[in-house]
Amino acid sequence: MLRNIPKVDKVLEWPGIKTFMEKHPRQIVITAVRDTLGKVRSDLLAGMATEGILEQEVLVERVRNTLEKMNMPGLRRVINGTGVVLHTNLGRAPLAEVLRDTMLDAAFGYSTLEFNVETGSRGSRAVHVEKLLCSLTGAESAVVVNNNAAAVMLALSSLARDREVIVSRGELVEIGGSFRIPEVMEQSGAILRGVGATNRTHPRDYRSAISEETALLLKVHTSNFAVVGFTTEVSTEELVAIGQESSLPVMVDAGSGTLVDLSSHGLTGERTVRQYLDAGADLVTFSGDKLLGGPQAGIIVGKRSCLEAMKKHPLLRALRVDKVTLATLEGTLRLYRDDQQALQQIPSLRMMTLPAEELAARARKIVRRMRRALPAGISLKTRKGFSQVGGGTFPLLELPTTLIEVSVDGFSTQQLEQKLRTRIVPIIGRISQDAYLLDPRTLADKDIPDTIAALLSLATS
Ligand SMILES: *Cc1c(COP(=O)(O)O)cnc(C)c1O
C-alpha cells in the first residue's frame, strides 16, 4: 500500500484538488497535499489503514481538512463555559460591546493619537485617558503602559533605581506565568528589602529597615492567595504614616484595581483605587483587564511629583500602549462615569454580579432551548454550583451559579470535553466528578447556537 500512495504532482492534477487552487494560493495547496500524503504514509506504517484510505475522494477530503486547519487562525474566538469570568488563559476581560466602533475606528483609520486639534500641533497620546483616570480615582496624575507588570517596573525604575524598596515578605507574590514581584524589582534596578515573616509583618519591621538607602515603601496586594490563621499585616494607612515619618513615598501594587465598590454584590474585601489614594498612598498601580474590564494595560495613578519622572523615563517609550488599547481604555473608563452604566455594559462586571436567581433562570432557559434542538441521545440537566471571578482576584470567593450538565450517548466525559475543545470555535467547559459542565455565567447569548450546533454534530457523527 505504501507503494500505492500517489505522488504529489499527480494529486495536484486531480480536479478536486484543482478547485482548491481557486480559493487558496498554489503553494499552500501543495503544502497541504504533501502534509496529507505524509500523514497517510505514517497512518499506514502505524497499521492504521482505514477503509478506502488511498481512494481519490477520501484523499481529496483529507486535503480539504488539512487546508481548513492551515487556514484557521491560532488566536481565535472560544466559548467560555468555565464560569471563570477573568480567565487568564482565555484572554481575561472581554470588552464592552459599545466599544466596537471605537476600536475599529482607531485601528483602521487615522486618529488624534498624538495630535492636538485645538493648536494644530503635536499632542500627547497620554492626555486622552489621563483626565478620566484622575477624575475617577482622585489622583493628580496618571500614566498608562502595557500591563501592570510594566507599571510596577517603570515605577520602581524611576523612583528606586539602585536604592532600596521595603516590602513585606508576606507580599512577595508570584502572579502566574513568571511574574514574581522580587524578579520584576530586580529587573527595575531597585534593591528589594523584604521585612517581616510570611504570615506576620508589623509596623516596627518597616521602621527598623528604613535607612539612608530607602527610596520607597511598597505594598503588594496578595491578589491570588490568602494567608489565614495567625496573621498580621500593616495596612495602607499605617504604611503611609510610617512613610511620612521618614518622608518616603508609599506605592501600592493593587493588582486588579477596581474602580467601583463591588461589596453590595457579594464581592467584598477589595479596596477601590480611590480608597487606596484616600488612605494616603502616593502611587497605585493596577491592571486594565482584570476587575476594570478593559483592554490589557497597566495603569499608574498618584501624586504628580512621583509621576513626573516616569513620564520622562526612557522605559516609558518601550512600554507605551498602542492606539487601539488607548481608544478602548478611554471608552471603558468613560463607562465608569456612571457606576450603574459600568456594571451593565462592561461584560466582566455584569457577569460577576449576576444574581444567583437570574443564573438559575438562564440555565433553565438554555436547557429548554437546547432540548428543543437536540436529539434524545444528548442529556441535559441543571445543578447548583459555583463560579469564580478569576484573573488572580477574589481567590476564596465562590459565586453561586446553576451549572448545565451535558452528556452525549457514546462519548465518555473526557471524549466529550476533547471533542468540544478541538472545534474551530472551541468550547471550553469543565469536568467535575466525571460530569461535563457548562456555566451560564460566562456563556454569551451568541454562544448558545454554536454550542447547539456542536452537540448536534456529535450526536449525528
Ligand atoms: C495581576 C497582577 C500583576 C500583573 O498584572 P498584569 O497586568 O497581568 O501584568 C501585578 N501585581 C499584582 C498584585 C497582580 O495581581
Side-chain angles (χ1 to χ4, degrees):
M1 283 183 94
L2 282 174
R3 220 172 298 135
N4 288 336
I5 297 176
K7 298 275 172 292
V8 174
D9 288 347
K10 224 173 111 205
V11 174
L12 290 172
E13 295 301 316
W14 294 351
I17 300 292
K18 280 193 154 156
T19 59
F20 295 152
M21 295 201 194
E22 290 160 19
K23 277 210 310 202
H24 305 278
R26 186 180 165 83
Q27 207 46 51
I28 304 264
V29 178
I30 295 175
T31 308
V33 168
R34 208 171 270 141
D35 287 0
T36 307
L37 295 178
K39 185 84 192 2
V40 165
R41 190 181 168 80
S42 57
D43 282 357
L44 288 175
L45 286 169
M48 298 198 319
T50 44
E51 172 111 10
I53 186 167
L54 294 180
E55 274 171 30
Q56 194 175 120
E57 266 171 47
V58 176
L59 283 171
V60 169
E61 198 46 41
R62 279 186 78 158
V63 173
R64 185 201 305 282
N65 276 330
T66 308
L67 271 172
E68 223 166 67
K69 281 212 186 101
M70 284 168 63
N71 282 322
M72 191 163 66
L75 199 168
R76 58 192 198 271
R77 173 184 161 221
V78 303
I79 293 174
N80 177 7
T82 64
V84 181
V85 177
L86 299 170
H87 199 302
T88 301
N89 303 145
L90 305 183
R92 283 198 189 151
L95 295 176
E97 199 56 48
V98 292
L99 303 181
R100 200 175 276 274
D101 286 346
T102 307
M103 177 170 183
L104 293 177
D105 285 349
F108 288 94
Y110 298 108
S111 61
T112 55
L113 181 66
E114 289 183 2
F115 186 72
N116 183 333
V117 286
E118 305 300 328
T119 60
S121 56
R122 188 189 172 135
S124 143
R125 66 171 63 205
V127 295
H128 310 288
V129 289
E130 183 167 11
K131 261 207 206 116
L132 272 167
L133 280 167
C134 291
S135 78
L136 291 169
T137 63
E140 292 172 5
S141 185
V143 167
V144 176
V145 288
N146 269 316
N147 49 41
N148 189 26
V152 172
M153 178 142 168
L154 175 65
L156 295 185
S157 188
S158 88
L159 295 175
R161 196 172 176 81
D162 298 325
R163 298 183 63 204
E164 285 186 3
V165 174
I166 302 179
V167 58
S168 161
R169 292 199 175 91
E171 298 171 359
L172 295 175
V173 184
E174 174 174 316
I175 301 302
S178 53
F179 178 67
R180 288 177 168 167
I181 282 291
E183 285 158 18
V184 170
M185 293 183 73
E186 209 170 280
Q187 288 302 319
S188 74
I191 300 157
L192 177 74
R193 185 79 201 273
V195 296
T198 308
N199 56 332
R200 286 167 74 83
T201 303
H202 305 277
R204 62 170 183 275
D205 295 322
Y206 289 92
R207 285 200 177 94
S208 59
I210 290 174
S211 73
E212 286 295 298
E213 295 306 310
T214 311
L216 183 74
L217 306 181
L218 173 65
K219 186 162 184 61
V220 182
H221 185 4
T222 54
S223 312
N224 52 6
F225 70 102
V227 187
V228 293
F230 187 53
T231 65
T232 306
E233 68 169 314
V234 176
S235 70
T236 307
E237 284 82 353
E238 287 173 298
L239 201 57
V240 166
I242 297 167
Q244 276 163 359
E245 291 163 18
S246 309
S247 303
L248 288 170
V250 171
M251 167 167 144
V252 177
D253 172 10
S256 44
T258 179
L259 295 183
V260 286
D261 189 346
L262 297 165
S263 51
S264 62
H265 298 275
L267 295 120
T268 52
E270 190 76 20
R271 281 186 156 192
T272 63
V273 175
R274 184 185 281 277
Q275 282 165 348
Y276 282 119
L277 290 172
D278 286 348
D282 297 275
L283 288 171
V284 181
T285 72
F286 56 102
S287 293
D289 56 349
K290 289 187 181 172
L291 288 178
L292 190 76
Q296 180 193 301
I299 297 163
I300 311 171
V301 292
K303 301 240 162 80
R304 192 170 290 117
S305 54
C306 292
L307 278 131
E308 268 333 290
M310 285 177 222
K311 290 181 176 176
K312 295 190 199 105
H313 199 289
L315 253 186
L316 181 62
R317 174 70 190 212
L319 303 175
R320 75 178 187 181
V321 289
D322 84 309
K323 56 196 178 183
V324 179
T325 302
L326 274 173
T328 49
L329 181 61
E330 181 184 356
T332 305
L333 292 172
R334 271 177 195 283
L335 296 172
Y336 278 98
R337 290 181 300 179
D338 177 68
D339 285 358
Q340 283 316 309
Q341 176 175 259
L343 285 167
Q344 278 159 19
Q345 302 216 355
I346 295 174
S348 50
L349 284 185
R350 191 173 60 227
M351 290 187 258
M352 273 174 233
T353 55
L354 275 173
E357 317 81 70
E358 206 170 300
L359 285 160
R362 187 163 153 74
R364 284 194 301 271
K365 196 171 146 204
I366 294 172
V367 165
R368 275 200 304 276
R369 186 166 161 199
M370 286 185 164
R371 281 206 183 117
R372 275 199 303 275
L374 293 170
I378 296 177
S379 104
L380 298 154
K381 282 186 283 192
T382 59
R383 61 147 101 166
K384 297 271 172 248
F386 295 98
S387 349
Q388 282 171 9
V389 176
T393 61
F394 297 105
L396 300 182
L397 191 68
E398 294 192 310
L399 301 168
T401 187
T402 301
L403 302 163
I404 301 167
E405 183 180 335
V406 185
S407 59
V408 180
D409 282 358
F411 291 86
S412 70
T413 306
Q414 274 68 26
Q415 284 169 330
L416 176 62
E417 188 277 335
Q418 193 260 351
K419 286 278 179 201
L420 295 177
R421 169 166 44 80
T422 51
R423 293 175 56 81
I424 292 180
V425 178
I427 301 174
I428 317 294
R430 57 176 139 128
I431 292 180
S432 169
Q433 292 163 355
D434 203 36
Y436 182 79
L437 303 167
L438 293 172
D439 190 334
R441 187 185 295 275
T442 49
L443 290 176
D445 288 339
K446 67 169 184 207
D447 295 339
I448 309 304
D450 291 327
T451 308
I452 290 175
L455 291 170
L456 203 55
S457 77
L458 283 187
T460 54
S461 66

